[in-house]
Structures are given as C-alpha cells and as structure tokens.
Amino acid sequence: MTRDEQAGPVGDEPTGPAWSAHDSAPHGGDDTHTEHVGHAGQSAHGAAASTEPGGGDEYDVFIPEIPDSPESLGDMGSDPIEGDVHPDTRRAAEHLDDLRRLQAEYINYKRRVDRDRDVARDQGITQVVEAMLPVLDDIHLAREHGDLDGGPFARTADKLEGVLARFGVTPLGAKGEPFDPNVHEALMHVDASTVELPKDATTTTVVQVLQPGYRMGDRVIRPARVSVADPV
C-alpha cells in the first residue's frame, strides 16, 4: 500500500501507520530526508527545527545566521547602526533636543523681559522727571535769587535733588564749561567783553544757565538752556 492510499480523505487522520523522519523511510529504507535533519530536530545548517504543533520535527526550516560585524551587513542600509538604536534611546534624545530648545527659548525670553523691564523703568523715571520740570525750574530760580540760603525750603530742595540723583538723574549746564550742542541749547549769544570768561577758554563757553537740563544715564531728558560767549 502506498502512502497516498494510507491517507484518508482530506481533513481526516491517516489510517495507516504513522512514520517520521527518524524512522526508516518506506520502500527500501530511503534516508534522503533524514540526511538534512540532525539530532533532536537540527537541520544540516545547525538551525533549530520548527516547533509547530504536530511533532517536534514536522517542518525543517532553515534560519540563516546574521553576521556580527558591520562590514558584513552589506546592503542592509547606508547606516546599519542607526537601525539598532533602542526606541527608548531615540525617544530620550528627542526629549533632550526639546529640552535644549525650551531652555534656549527661556533664556531669550528672560533677556527680553529684563531688557523690557529696564526700558519701562527708565521711561517711568523720565515721565516723572518731565512732570517735575516746572518745580525744578522754580527751585533753580529761587536758588539764583538767593531764596534758598538756608531755611526749611532749602533742605527740601536738596532732598528732592538727592532723590533724583539716586535714580540716576543729574542736572546739566554749569557756568564756565565749554558749549556742547549735545547737552546745551544756546538761547543767547553775548559779547565776551560784557561777561567774565575763564582765562583758559579757547572755545564757545557757557556764561549763564537760564534753565538747567537733566540727564538720566546717557539719555538727555532736556538740554540745558544757556547763554554763551566766544573768547576774544
């Protein structure tokens, strides 16, 4: 009886005696199949046989060995090491890049906030000084006329100017200093013979401060309005 005759209809269990690759092959003991199967389901290439249900050695599957060296990977990709990166390592690198971008954005934001805070502070002080300019002008006129020679009002004026100095506000314009168009505004030009100039004056000189100016840092809030004269 042949093997086909032993097998029953499709889906039924075989009716004949079961045999495997380890048994002697029928029809004279042909061991062609067993030459490719090693001991305990090992193929001729040394790979483990399939463990599908139905028998430990029912299917003989060849599994090629993967080379260990990157040079032997051949055409597996232009960057074979990149494919071996663990997903957690790749995710950690992405999070690190996000953290660095966030840190850079925070540093830039902090710099803008600090700069804007300083600008807002300077603008606030400037607005206060500009609002107080009439009061400061009256103090200057009172000092010029001798009304601040002692007394409580003189101390109040000194305290006010001291408070402004704490915020970086300093007066501009003094008699005898060289004329500077950046900080002075000449309202009058008088003859040098009618005024007293410093002996070492070699250029246009301030001879009278009509209205003092004020500066905060490098910013001129108001230039000093002065009277000038040229040396003879």
Side-chain angles (χ1 to χ4, degrees), residues 175-176 190-199 201 205-208 229:
K175 183 179 178 179
V190 299
D191 189 358
S193 60
T194 61
V195 294
E196 184 179 355
L197 291 175
K199 295 180 180 180
T205 306
V206 175
V207 295
Q208 184 181 4

Side-chain angles (χ1 to χ4, degrees), residues 72-226:
S72 60
L73 291 175
D75 299 333
M76 293 184 65
S78 59
D79 192 4
I81 304 301
E82 183 67 18
D84 296 337
V85 177
H86 194 276
D88 291 344
T89 304
R90 191 187 305 274
R91 191 177 300 108
E94 294 174 354
H95 291 338
L96 181 59
D97 290 340
D98 294 340
L99 180 60
R100 288 173 177 171
R101 285 193 295 269
L102 183 61
Q103 184 180 16
E105 292 176 359
Y106 172 74
I107 293 175
N108 294 332
Y109 166 77
K110 188 176 183 300
R111 289 176 179 173
R112 289 194 303 269
V113 169
D114 293 341
R115 182 187 63 230
D116 294 344
R117 182 175 59 246
D118 293 339
V119 171
R121 173 182 175 274
D122 294 343
Q123 290 178 348
I125 297 174
T126 302
Q127 292 176 357
V128 172
V129 175
E130 289 176 348
M132 294 181 60
L133 285 178
V135 178
L136 297 175
D137 292 339
D138 291 342
I139 293 175
H140 170 72
L141 292 175
R143 185 177 285 114
E144 289 290 322
H145 289 84
D147 296 335
L148 294 181
D149 295 338
F153 186 71
R155 291 193 297 270
T156 302
D158 293 341
K159 289 180 180 179
L160 177 60
E161 292 174 348
V163 169
L164 294 177
R166 287 170 51 191
F167 289 94
V169 179
T170 56
L172 292 175
K175 183 179 178 179
E177 65 183 9
F179 174 77
D180 184 358
N182 295 319
V183 296
H184 298 141
E185 182 181 353
L187 298 182
M188 297 177 60
H189 192 283
V190 299
D191 189 358
S193 60
T194 61
V195 294
E196 184 179 355
L197 291 175
K199 295 180 180 180
D200 57 349
T202 58
T203 184
T204 303
T205 306
V206 175
V207 295
Q208 184 181 4
V209 178
L210 304 176
Q211 195 174 59
Y214 294 93
R215 176 200 337 236
M216 185 178 65
D218 296 333
R219 179 181 179 182
V220 176
I221 300 176
R222 187 183 70 178
R225 295 170 180 175
V226 298

Side-chain angles (χ1 to χ4, degrees), residues 48-59:
S50 173
T51 58
E52 292 290 335
D57 302 332
E58 184 176 357
Y59 301 102

Side-chain angles (χ1 to χ4, degrees), residues 13-54:
E13 295 293 335
T15 56
W19 61 277
S20 65
H22 293 287
D23 300 330
S24 298
H27 306 291
D30 184 6
D31 296 336
T32 303
H33 182 70
T34 58
E35 293 176 358
H36 298 283
V37 180
H39 179 69
Q42 296 293 325
S43 65
H45 299 278
S50 173
T51 58
E52 292 290 335

